[in-house]
Amino acid sequence: MAFVVIQHLDPKNIGIMVELLQRVTNMQVFQAKENHKISQDCIYIIPPNKVMSTKGGMLHLFERSQSRILHLPIDVFFRSMAEDLRGKSIGVILSGMGSDGSLGLKAIKEKYGIVLVQSPETAKFDGMPRSAIEAVVADIVAPATDLPARLIEFLKFAPNALSATKLDDKTIGYLNKIVILLREQLGHDFSQYKKNTILRRIERRQSLHLIESMGNYVRFCQENPGEIDVLFKELLIGVTSFFRDPELWEKLKNEILPELLSELPYGYELRVWVAACSTGEETYSLAIIIKEILEKSRNPNSLSFKIFATDIDGEALEIARIGLYSANISSDVSPERLSKFFTADLGGYHVKSTIREMCVFAAHNIIKHPPFIRLDLLFCRNMLIYMEPVLQLKVFRLFNFILNPGGIMVIGTAETLDSQGYGFNVLDGKLKIFKRNLTSKFALVNNFSSSSDQKRAVRLDKKIPNAGLSLTSLADQILIQRFAPSSVLLSKQGVILYMTGRIGKYIELVPGEPNWNINDLAREGLRQILPAAFQKAMRSFEPITFRNVKIVLNADFHYADVTLQRLDTPIALKGMFMLVFTEIQEYNLTDSLIVETVKPNLGFLEKELRTELQHKEEELQGLLEEMRATEEEMTSTNEELQSANEELQASNEELNTSKEEMQSINEELQTVNYEMKHLIGDYQLASTDMENLLNSIEIAILFLDKELNIRRFTESITTLYKMRSSDIGRPFTDMNNDLKYPELFLHSQQVLKTQVEIVNSVSTKDGRWFSVKIMPYITNVNQIDGVVITFIDITLAKNLELALEEKNRILVDSERSFRFLFESAKDGILILEASTGKIMMVNPFLEELLGYSKEQLLDKSIWEIGSLKDLVANKSMLQEIQVKKYVRYNNLPLETVNGKRINVEFISNTYMLASAEVI
């Protein structure tokens, strides 16, 4: 097997399901790609924001629709898989919310695939499993942990058990026994259905129960009547959806039906029959199409329509009558139609009453029960393909009989008429749309009963040639027209729906706007008894009879027995009333409600009784009028409540529409939760590392938002600001601080505007110094989202800087004093470098004394100066000067530049400068 995992994912989520699954399986796990070939023992994961399908054993990816239509990736894949793999497809529904996958499972069942569902009791979210079980007959329902073993067991058993099955006499015998069990238990005859179709369904049930022989399966069915019910569901294959085969519906809406409706006379009621309607999606689709056509043409001929929908599956009919479908139908029904013809209800969509009232659903077996007649349109799709050719022939002849000339028949795309045509002309061979021709009409002589009934029918044919349903219908018509009493079919509100016989004796049309309420049209005498009759009939389904009712007709009167009964069957008429009039030829005194005068001495009593009766009638009439007024008020109130309810439904519609999507998003969040836990752990670790880093560097940092409110700070900031964690979110200007920096707030605003950082050295009240740096806070998307202020303690550096400045100032002052004394001294002063004898400085007095200029003396060695050569030549004297810190010589002879000899007192001092020893 190959496995494909379809999840409800957030479109922007980067899933880790591939990594998670690869840890727990030896199979290869891939994230699906376009044209990815499906291989056995491999797992393929749907990528985020994609819809996936399969064709030709390859996976294909499509972009997820951005519209508001509900995202249903499981349904999409299941449908494509059913078309591509047919009987080899396996659909598995696990825990999840919503109903995604239900429609896809129907397609898998139709193609003889296998359906597995996790038992809802074991699912964390039971929405999807319950929806799947309601939609189809699941082959296996079990806890998720048991599904793999059950599936493998089935796949290992099925090929060996079914490969030898042949449609021989023995197998046909077993088939017939099962058909008999179906007929006896459920009343439905499958003897004329295709043997291969029934056999495949039986083989499927047989394999699921691990029963090797059909004989044992027959015995199993006899011992377990519930298996017959399940097998019956399997044989029905109720696969349907709204607007299935869109091309067909477009053809009907734009061409076929407008042409049919245009030929109908004024006030005509279009009669439609949808055979094998299943859960009603196709019936409502047809009603919507006809409604749209009439609205578009503004219905100039005042046409109406009635759709009769039938099926043998009672449970499916109940679903159809309610008209409540899952949210999945949004993939088949356009948003415009959903808003116009449906209301959001209970997590799904409910067909509006305006459409439901046009459709009548009833249990009906097409091969057993009398058909509907005088039809204009007939739908019978994907039912005939399961019937034997002989039965198909009978059904087609039946359809020809019940359709009016020019009526339309639509069958399934896999069904076809043979070369005979059975009286139909082809309108569209591809879409299987046919039109009954105007000339031919087959006599309805076929009997659709079971084999045992056919024998009785053959004996009956010997006595009455050409007996059949057509004679029954004709006899019914003659009986109603000539012999049956006059009758009226009434709604719950007393509105006349249908009349038979000479009804004018009992009701009278009144001038003005048409009013079809029996209480207003009934003639005098009948009008008085109807309210009481309705009250009694409402309490039971038993007939209520009034004998010898005197009914006034113009100036004359006549008597009749009047019977009113609330109907229980058929389903289409349940809750309605039948009013029957039986004409009395001779007046029966003993049964009369009115006592006639028979003796002269009863005149006074009669007059008194008539007066009392008149009073009672007047009182009754007043009560009736009061009741009608109350009824009108209740009707008005009900309409107001309905209007308010519709407004509430309209205001809540968007929330209900998105409910399924929110459930899917919740499931996606569950899937992402595992990854988010890891990410949160990483983020927490990174945040802890960052806090430790900021605290370890002992730098005070203050983070502010755009409004300059405190966003975050390090512990060191508390040495400057009186701040704690509860102050986060407050303006930082509210905090007391020791800084002598009143411009801090203005500079912070300036950085927010200019995005240029500002750096200042600031002192505190206690003598500390800080380097304050204000810079913008830039997010990872390059947006300014506040400022960051750092405070670096520079107290030591600042103190050293101030000390150095003071020392430099003292040195400058000393140098200035020294230079003044040096230049103003009246003694000659010469400063030499001790090691080299290089002249470094000479004062003006010595220059004048020796007759040398400053340029002739500076940067020269002492032995280069003629008047000082003797001093240098005396090595012992030079060495003494270099060694001793203090040397003094009296009467040292020197010579000026002019050769004049002079004697001077020589004093030498040696001292240290920063760079060298100086004499």
Side-chain angles (χ1 to χ4, degrees), residues 462-480:
K462 294 180 180 180
K463 298 179 181 180
I464 307 176
N466 299 326
L469 292 177
S470 59
L471 293 181
T472 302
S473 300
L474 293 174
D476 290 343
Q477 294 177 11
I478 294 173
L479 179 64
I480 292 173

Side-chain angles (χ1 to χ4, degrees), residues 260-524:
L260 175 65
L261 295 175
S262 64
E263 298 174 355
L264 300 178
Y266 183 86
Y268 186 86
E269 183 182 61
L270 183 76
R271 291 171 59 85
V272 184
W273 183 18
V274 179
C277 68
S278 187
T279 49
E281 287 92 332
E282 192 169 80
T283 305
Y284 290 126
S285 299
L286 186 58
I288 290 172
I289 288 292
I290 298 175
K291 185 77 172 177
E292 289 176 340
I293 295 173
L294 294 178
E295 290 178 352
K296 183 178 180 180
S297 63
R298 300 184 183 278
N299 197 8
N301 291 336
S302 298
L303 302 177
S304 60
F305 66 94
K306 179 68 70 176
I307 299 178
F308 303 97
T310 62
D311 201 281
I312 60 176
D313 186 353
E315 294 182 3
L317 288 173
E318 285 301 318
I319 296 174
R321 289 190 187 100
I322 297 172
L324 180 61
Y325 299 96
S326 68
N328 299 40
I329 67 171
S330 60
S331 61
D332 298 320
V333 185
S334 66
E336 294 79 13
R337 284 173 173 163
L338 281 176
S339 61
K340 184 175 182 180
F341 300 107
F342 296 82
T343 56
D345 191 11
L346 299 177
Y349 292 100
H350 197 188
V351 181
K352 288 187 176 180
S353 58
T354 53
I355 298 297
R356 296 202 311 274
E357 290 172 356
M358 299 171 182
C359 306
V360 177
F361 293 93
H364 181 276
N365 190 331
I366 197 171
I367 64 174
K368 180 179 180 182
H369 299 144
F372 297 88
I373 59 174
R374 297 192 299 276
L375 300 175
D376 302 291
L377 179 62
L378 172 64
F379 258 65
C380 184
R381 304 181 68 211
N382 302 320
M383 183 189 74
L384 299 173
I385 56 174
Y386 303 112
M387 296 180 176
E388 295 286 359
V390 175
L391 183 56
Q392 287 186 12
L393 171 62
K394 294 179 180 180
V395 172
F396 279 128
R397 288 186 172 181
L398 170 67
F399 290 166
N400 177 275
F401 174 80
I402 62 179
L403 272 172
N404 291 329
I408 303 299
M409 178 181 70
V410 181
I411 60 178
T413 54
E415 300 161 341
T416 185
L417 292 171
D418 60 21
S419 56
Q420 297 183 19
Y422 306 112
F424 291 95
N425 299 327
V426 179
L427 295 183
D428 192 312
K430 178 183 177 182
L431 300 177
K432 303 303 171 65
I433 304 176
F434 302 90
K435 183 176 184 179
R436 184 190 178 281
N437 57 42
L438 303 178
T439 56
S440 64
K441 183 161 183 156
F442 284 85
L444 189 62
V445 295
N446 302 290
N447 192 300
F448 291 90
S449 303
S450 62
S451 56
S452 59
D453 294 335
Q454 289 177 0
K455 296 178 181 179
R456 292 194 297 270
V458 171
R459 291 194 296 271
L460 184 62
D461 289 346
K462 294 180 180 180
K463 298 179 181 180
I464 307 176
N466 299 326
L469 292 177
S470 59
L471 293 181
T472 302
S473 300
L474 293 174
D476 290 343
Q477 294 177 11
I478 294 173
L479 179 64
I480 292 173
Q481 294 173 1
R482 300 185 183 181
F483 302 101
S486 300
S487 62
V488 181
L489 179 64
L490 303 170
S491 69
K492 295 179 181 179
Q493 294 77 26
V495 178
I496 298 175
L497 302 176
Y498 187 75
M499 299 179 291
T500 62
R502 300 179 63 184
I503 204 68
K505 294 181 179 181
Y506 309 100
I507 65 174
E508 179 183 12
L509 295 177
V510 296
E513 185 177 351
N515 182 2
W516 292 100
N517 193 289
I518 189 65
N519 294 297
D520 299 324
L521 299 181
R523 294 188 181 275
E524 186 178 349

Side-chain angles (χ1 to χ4, degrees), residues 672-685:
V672 177
N673 186 46
Y674 180 82
E675 181 181 358
M676 292 302 296
K677 287 182 179 179
H678 288 281
L679 293 176
I680 290 172
D682 294 340
Y683 290 150
Q684 290 176 341
L685 180 61

Side-chain angles (χ1 to χ4, degrees), residues 52 109-110 129 230 254 359 369 462 506-507 513 543 574 645 674 737 795:
M52 187 160 61
K109 292 290 288 186
E110 183 184 17
V230 177
N254 298 325
C359 306
H369 299 144
K462 294 180 180 180
Y506 309 100
I507 65 174
E513 185 177 351
K574 186 174 181 180
N645 184 47
Y674 180 82
N737 64 83
T795 302

